[in-house]
Amino acid sequence: MWTYQHQHFLVHQLPVLNDNYIYIIQDRHSPVVCVVDPALASPVIEVCAQLNIKPTHILNTHHHWDHTDGNKELVQTYQSKVVANLADASRIPHISQAIAADSQFQIGSLNIRSMDVPGHTLGHIAFVIDDALFCGDTLFGGGCGRLFEGSFAQMWQSLQKLALLDDNTKVYCAHEYTLPNLRFARDVDAGNKKLKQRIKDDTQTRMKQQPTIPSSIGLEKATNPFLRPLNAAFIQAYNLENKINLNAPEVFTHLRERKNTW
Ligand code: ZN
Ligand code: FE
Protein backbone atom coordinates (compact mmCIF):
# COMPACT_ATOMS: atom_id res chain seq x y z
CA MET A 1 0.00 0.00 0.00
CA TRP A 2 1.10 3.56 -0.74
CA THR A 3 -0.22 6.70 0.92
CA TYR A 4 -0.36 10.20 -0.57
CA GLN A 5 -0.88 13.36 1.41
CA HIS A 6 -3.36 15.98 0.29
CA GLN A 7 -4.23 19.06 2.29
CA HIS A 8 -7.59 17.82 3.60
CA PHE A 9 -7.33 14.06 3.10
CA LEU A 10 -5.01 11.10 2.60
CA VAL A 11 -5.21 8.68 -0.32
CA HIS A 12 -4.25 5.08 0.35
CA GLN A 13 -3.56 3.12 -2.83
CA LEU A 14 -4.08 -0.66 -2.82
CA PRO A 15 -2.91 -2.78 -5.74
CA VAL A 16 -5.31 -5.70 -6.24
CA LEU A 17 -5.93 -8.42 -8.84
CA ASN A 18 -3.55 -8.16 -11.82
CA ASP A 19 -3.43 -4.42 -12.29
CA ASN A 20 -6.31 -2.74 -10.44
CA TYR A 21 -5.97 0.00 -7.87
CA ILE A 22 -8.45 0.58 -5.07
CA TYR A 23 -8.21 4.00 -3.40
CA ILE A 24 -9.17 4.70 0.19
CA ILE A 25 -9.71 8.41 0.82
CA GLN A 26 -9.35 9.31 4.47
CA ASP A 27 -10.80 12.67 5.51
CA ARG A 28 -8.38 14.47 7.87
CA HIS A 29 -11.17 16.44 9.58
CA SER A 30 -13.89 13.82 10.10
CA PRO A 31 -14.29 10.03 10.41
CA VAL A 32 -15.35 9.88 6.74
CA VAL A 33 -13.56 7.27 4.64
CA CYS A 34 -14.44 6.82 0.96
CA VAL A 35 -13.41 3.69 -0.93
CA VAL A 36 -13.14 4.25 -4.68
CA ASP A 37 -13.94 1.29 -6.94
CA PRO A 38 -13.52 -1.69 -4.61
CA ALA A 39 -12.84 -4.63 -6.93
CA LEU A 40 -12.60 -6.73 -3.77
CA ALA A 41 -13.62 -6.25 -0.15
CA SER A 42 -11.02 -8.30 1.75
CA PRO A 43 -7.92 -6.12 1.10
CA VAL A 44 -9.96 -3.03 2.03
CA ILE A 45 -11.16 -4.65 5.26
CA GLU A 46 -7.60 -5.66 6.12
CA VAL A 47 -6.12 -2.21 5.51
CA CYS A 48 -8.95 -0.43 7.32
CA ALA A 49 -8.40 -2.65 10.36
CA GLN A 50 -4.69 -1.77 10.33
CA LEU A 51 -5.45 1.94 10.03
CA ASN A 52 -8.30 1.69 12.52
CA ILE A 53 -10.75 3.34 10.12
CA LYS A 54 -14.13 2.34 8.72
CA PRO A 55 -15.33 2.90 5.15
CA THR A 56 -18.34 5.16 5.54
CA HIS A 57 -18.78 5.50 1.76
CA ILE A 58 -18.03 3.74 -1.49
CA LEU A 59 -17.61 5.78 -4.68
CA ASN A 60 -18.11 3.82 -7.91
CA THR A 61 -16.95 5.31 -11.22
CA HIS A 62 -18.78 2.68 -13.28
CA HIS A 63 -20.53 -0.66 -13.03
CA HIS A 64 -17.82 -3.11 -14.20
CA TRP A 65 -17.19 -5.96 -11.79
CA ASP A 66 -13.54 -5.00 -11.21
CA HIS A 67 -14.82 -1.71 -9.75
CA THR A 68 -17.87 -2.88 -7.82
CA ASP A 69 -17.48 -6.51 -6.70
CA GLY A 70 -16.40 -5.40 -3.22
CA ASN A 71 -19.55 -3.32 -2.67
CA LYS A 72 -21.66 -6.10 -1.20
CA GLU A 73 -19.28 -7.23 1.51
CA LEU A 74 -18.26 -3.69 2.47
CA VAL A 75 -21.92 -2.68 2.81
CA GLN A 76 -22.59 -5.78 4.93
CA THR A 77 -19.52 -5.22 7.10
CA TYR A 78 -19.64 -1.43 7.59
CA GLN A 79 -23.05 -0.33 6.31
CA SER A 80 -21.13 1.91 3.91
CA LYS A 81 -23.20 4.17 1.66
CA VAL A 82 -22.70 3.49 -2.05
CA VAL A 83 -22.44 6.70 -4.07
CA ALA A 84 -22.76 6.37 -7.83
CA ASN A 85 -24.37 7.73 -10.98
CA LEU A 86 -28.16 7.89 -10.78
CA ALA A 87 -28.33 7.15 -14.52
CA ASP A 88 -26.55 3.84 -13.90
CA ALA A 89 -28.35 2.97 -10.65
CA SER A 90 -29.74 -0.31 -12.02
CA ARG A 91 -26.21 -1.61 -12.69
CA ILE A 92 -24.47 -0.49 -9.48
CA PRO A 93 -24.78 -3.13 -6.74
CA HIS A 94 -26.14 -1.80 -3.44
CA ILE A 95 -26.30 1.83 -4.60
CA SER A 96 -27.78 3.97 -1.81
CA GLN A 97 -26.82 7.54 -2.68
CA ALA A 98 -27.56 8.16 -6.36
CA ILE A 99 -26.11 11.40 -7.64
CA ALA A 100 -26.46 13.28 -10.92
CA ALA A 101 -23.55 12.55 -13.25
CA ASP A 102 -22.40 16.18 -13.12
CA SER A 103 -22.85 17.29 -9.54
CA GLN A 104 -21.25 18.71 -6.46
CA PHE A 105 -21.75 17.28 -2.98
CA GLN A 106 -20.10 17.09 0.40
CA ILE A 107 -19.19 14.05 2.49
CA GLY A 108 -17.60 14.89 5.82
CA SER A 109 -15.24 17.75 5.02
CA LEU A 110 -14.67 16.50 1.47
CA ASN A 111 -16.04 18.67 -1.34
CA ILE A 112 -16.62 16.22 -4.14
CA ARG A 113 -17.41 17.04 -7.74
CA SER A 114 -18.65 14.30 -10.04
CA MET A 115 -18.11 14.60 -13.76
CA ASP A 116 -20.04 12.88 -16.52
CA VAL A 117 -17.38 11.12 -18.63
CA PRO A 118 -19.11 8.58 -20.90
CA GLY A 119 -17.12 6.47 -23.35
CA HIS A 120 -15.73 3.38 -21.61
CA THR A 121 -19.30 2.86 -20.40
CA LEU A 122 -22.26 5.19 -20.88
CA GLY A 123 -22.72 5.81 -17.17
CA HIS A 124 -19.06 6.38 -16.33
CA ILE A 125 -18.37 9.26 -13.96
CA ALA A 126 -15.20 10.67 -12.39
CA PHE A 127 -14.75 12.20 -8.95
CA VAL A 128 -12.67 15.30 -8.24
CA ILE A 129 -11.72 16.24 -4.69
CA ASP A 130 -9.51 19.35 -4.54
CA ASP A 131 -6.38 18.40 -6.52
CA ALA A 132 -7.19 14.68 -6.84
CA LEU A 133 -9.00 13.09 -9.78
CA PHE A 134 -10.44 9.57 -9.53
CA CYS A 135 -11.20 8.73 -13.13
CA GLY A 136 -11.75 4.94 -13.13
CA ASP A 137 -11.25 3.57 -16.64
CA THR A 138 -11.62 6.84 -18.56
CA LEU A 139 -8.09 8.27 -18.46
CA PHE A 140 -5.10 6.02 -17.76
CA GLY A 141 -1.41 6.72 -17.41
CA GLY A 142 -0.46 7.20 -21.07
CA GLY A 143 -3.78 5.89 -22.32
CA CYS A 144 -7.56 5.86 -22.13
CA GLY A 145 -10.22 3.23 -21.60
CA ARG A 146 -11.62 1.00 -24.31
CA LEU A 147 -14.92 2.04 -25.80
CA PHE A 148 -17.30 -0.67 -24.61
CA GLU A 149 -20.47 1.40 -24.83
CA GLY A 150 -19.79 4.99 -25.83
CA SER A 151 -18.77 6.56 -29.12
CA PHE A 152 -15.41 8.00 -30.09
CA ALA A 153 -16.96 11.48 -29.92
CA GLN A 154 -18.20 10.87 -26.38
CA MET A 155 -14.83 9.65 -25.16
CA TRP A 156 -13.01 12.52 -26.85
CA GLN A 157 -15.34 14.97 -25.15
CA SER A 158 -14.89 13.27 -21.78
CA LEU A 159 -11.10 13.39 -22.08
CA GLN A 160 -11.23 17.06 -23.03
CA LYS A 161 -13.24 17.77 -19.87
CA LEU A 162 -10.61 16.05 -17.74
CA ALA A 163 -7.86 17.95 -19.56
CA LEU A 164 -9.42 21.22 -18.36
CA LEU A 165 -8.52 20.38 -14.76
CA ASP A 166 -5.47 22.10 -13.32
CA ASP A 167 -2.14 20.67 -14.52
CA ASN A 168 -1.20 19.79 -10.93
CA THR A 169 -4.26 17.59 -10.45
CA LYS A 170 -3.18 14.09 -9.46
CA VAL A 171 -4.60 11.38 -11.70
CA TYR A 172 -5.68 8.37 -9.65
CA CYS A 173 -6.87 5.94 -12.33
CA ALA A 174 -8.07 2.40 -11.69
CA HIS A 175 -5.42 0.34 -13.51
CA GLU A 176 -1.65 0.14 -13.80
CA TYR A 177 -1.45 0.09 -17.60
CA THR A 178 1.10 2.86 -17.98
CA LEU A 179 4.13 1.07 -19.43
CA PRO A 180 2.34 -0.82 -22.22
CA ASN A 181 0.41 2.38 -22.96
CA LEU A 182 3.64 4.34 -23.26
CA ARG A 183 5.09 1.81 -25.69
CA PHE A 184 2.16 2.54 -27.99
CA ALA A 185 2.62 6.27 -27.34
CA ARG A 186 6.25 6.07 -28.47
CA ASP A 187 5.14 4.52 -31.78
CA VAL A 188 2.71 7.33 -32.57
CA ASP A 189 4.53 10.32 -31.02
CA ALA A 190 8.19 9.51 -31.61
CA GLY A 191 9.49 13.07 -31.46
CA ASN A 192 8.10 13.82 -27.98
CA LYS A 193 10.95 14.51 -25.52
CA LYS A 194 8.70 14.57 -22.45
CA LEU A 195 7.34 11.19 -23.50
CA LYS A 196 10.89 9.77 -23.76
CA GLN A 197 11.67 11.06 -20.28
CA ARG A 198 8.43 9.61 -18.91
CA ILE A 199 9.22 6.19 -20.39
CA LYS A 200 12.59 6.28 -18.63
CA ASP A 201 11.11 7.40 -15.32
CA ASP A 202 8.15 5.02 -15.32
CA THR A 203 10.28 2.05 -16.43
CA GLN A 204 12.53 2.65 -13.41
CA THR A 205 9.51 3.02 -11.16
CA ARG A 206 8.10 -0.31 -12.29
CA MET A 207 11.49 -2.03 -11.91
CA LYS A 208 11.31 -0.99 -8.26
CA GLN A 209 7.80 -2.47 -8.18
CA GLN A 210 6.25 0.89 -7.42
CA PRO A 211 3.13 2.41 -9.00
CA THR A 212 3.40 4.92 -11.85
CA ILE A 213 0.05 6.23 -10.61
CA PRO A 214 -0.87 8.89 -9.61
CA SER A 215 0.38 10.84 -12.59
CA SER A 216 -0.84 14.39 -13.20
CA ILE A 217 -3.06 16.14 -15.73
CA GLY A 218 -0.05 18.17 -16.89
CA LEU A 219 2.02 15.06 -17.55
CA GLU A 220 -0.88 13.33 -19.31
CA LYS A 221 -1.49 16.35 -21.54
CA ALA A 222 2.18 16.34 -22.51
CA THR A 223 2.63 12.59 -23.07
CA ASN A 224 -0.69 10.74 -23.38
CA PRO A 225 -1.45 10.13 -27.08
CA PHE A 226 -5.19 10.36 -26.41
CA LEU A 227 -4.81 13.91 -25.08
CA ARG A 228 -2.14 14.98 -27.57
CA PRO A 229 -4.76 15.86 -30.23
CA LEU A 230 -5.37 18.95 -28.06
CA ASN A 231 -2.03 20.21 -29.38
CA ALA A 232 -2.08 21.72 -32.89
CA ALA A 233 1.59 20.93 -33.53
CA PHE A 234 0.98 17.29 -32.67
CA ILE A 235 -1.95 17.08 -35.10
CA GLN A 236 0.15 18.60 -37.84
CA ALA A 237 3.04 16.19 -37.24
CA TYR A 238 0.69 13.19 -36.97
CA ASN A 239 -1.04 14.04 -40.24
CA LEU A 240 2.26 14.52 -42.01
CA GLU A 241 3.73 11.30 -40.63
CA ASN A 242 0.68 9.24 -41.61
CA LYS A 243 -0.12 11.06 -44.87
CA ILE A 244 -3.62 11.93 -43.70
CA ASN A 245 -5.48 15.15 -43.05
CA LEU A 246 -7.61 14.84 -39.94
CA ASN A 247 -8.88 17.27 -37.31
CA ALA A 248 -8.52 16.76 -33.55
CA PRO A 249 -11.50 14.44 -32.91
CA GLU A 250 -10.62 12.43 -36.02
CA VAL A 251 -7.01 12.06 -34.90
CA PHE A 252 -8.29 10.83 -31.53
CA THR A 253 -10.47 8.24 -33.31
CA HIS A 254 -7.58 7.23 -35.58
CA LEU A 255 -5.36 6.65 -32.54
CA ARG A 256 -7.99 4.77 -30.54
CA GLU A 257 -8.73 2.44 -33.48
CA ARG A 258 -5.04 1.95 -34.09
CA LYS A 259 -4.43 0.98 -30.45
CA ASN A 260 -7.21 -1.62 -30.57
CA THR A 261 -5.21 -3.65 -33.08
CA TRP A 262 -1.72 -2.59 -31.98
ZN1 ZN B 1 -14.11 -0.85 -16.69
FE1 FE C 1 -11.52 -1.66 -14.96
Side-chain angles (χ1 to χ4, degrees):
M1 180 182 79
W2 293 271
T3 298
Y4 308 92
Q5 313 268 342
H6 291 262
Q7 193 183 354
H8 298 297
F9 54 91
L10 305 176
V11 177
H12 307 289
Q13 179 182 39
L14 280 61
V16 300
L17 304 174
N18 280 334
D19 47 41
N20 277 78
Y21 288 126
I22 300 174
Y23 299 103
I24 302 176
I25 305 166
Q26 186 180 352
D27 189 350
R28 288 177 184 266
H29 313 298
S30 86
V32 157
V33 172
C34 298
V35 182
V36 181
D37 284 353
L40 300 167
S42 51
V44 175
I45 293 171
E46 202 175 303
V47 161
C48 286
Q50 279 167 24
L51 296 171
N52 197 24
I53 57 176
K54 287 193 168 79
T56 55
H57 295 77
I58 294 167
L59 308 179
N60 290 131
T61 62
H62 65 296
H63 73 283
H64 285 158
W65 67 270
D66 62 315
H67 302 255
T68 57
D69 260 13
N71 284 15
K72 183 180 179 188
E73 198 179 336
L74 292 177
V75 168
Q76 284 171 351
T77 309
Y78 304 103
Q79 290 80 50
S80 319
K81 288 216 165 72
V82 177
V83 181
N85 187 358
L86 170 64
D88 234 357
S90 64
R91 303 198 289 184
I92 302 284
H94 300 273
I95 187 169
S96 49
Q97 195 174 326
I99 51 155
D102 279 303
S103 64
Q104 197 109 38
F105 54 98
Q106 187 155 2
I107 302 179
S109 84
L110 306 174
N111 284 308
I112 307 179
R113 171 187 174 198
S114 69
M115 292 171 77
D116 191 20
V117 286
H120 177 70
T121 67
L122 287 175
H124 200 303
I125 58 174
F127 298 97
V128 182
I129 313 175
D130 301 348
D131 56 346
L133 165 68
F134 300 89
C135 51
D137 290 357
T138 298
L139 177 65
F140 290 129
C144 74
R146 280 178 184 274
L147 297 173
F148 285 116
E149 298 178 352
S151 65
F152 292 103
Q154 279 176 319
M155 184 56 125
W156 174 236
Q157 202 169 19
S158 297
L159 291 173
Q160 282 178 282
K161 276 166 89 170
L162 298 181
L164 288 175
L165 296 170
D166 191 274
D167 278 359
N168 296 319
T169 306
K170 297 284 181 239
V171 176
Y172 292 100
C173 60
H175 292 273
E176 177 63 60
Y177 289 157
T178 312
L179 279 193
N181 283 342
L182 291 179
R183 282 193 275 276
F184 171 76
R186 188 174 47 193
D187 267 13
V188 299
D189 192 12
N192 186 336
K193 288 199 183 99
K194 285 185 179 159
L195 173 60
K196 282 187 190 136
Q197 187 58 49
R198 183 178 187 184
I199 292 172
K200 260 190 209 164
D201 294 345
D202 284 348
T203 302
Q204 289 222 330
T205 300
R206 292 307 288 155
M207 285 198 309
K208 290 184 274 182
Q209 281 156 43
Q210 286 170 2
T212 65
I213 301 300
S215 62
S216 69
I217 288 292
L219 183 63
E220 295 305 333
K221 275 173 17 192
T223 59
N224 187 320
F226 299 104
L227 293 181
R228 291 283 283 149
L230 291 168
N231 181 305
F234 171 80
I235 292 183
Q236 209 175 12
Y238 190 78
N239 276 326
L240 204 63
E241 169 81 25
N242 295 284
K243 301 181 179 63
I244 48 180
N245 187 19
L246 306 178
N247 62 23
E250 291 165 345
V251 168
F252 167 77
T253 300
H254 196 268
L255 286 162
R256 186 58 264 184
E257 283 183 322
R258 207 168 147 182
K259 178 127 197 285
N260 288 343
T261 54
W262 185 73

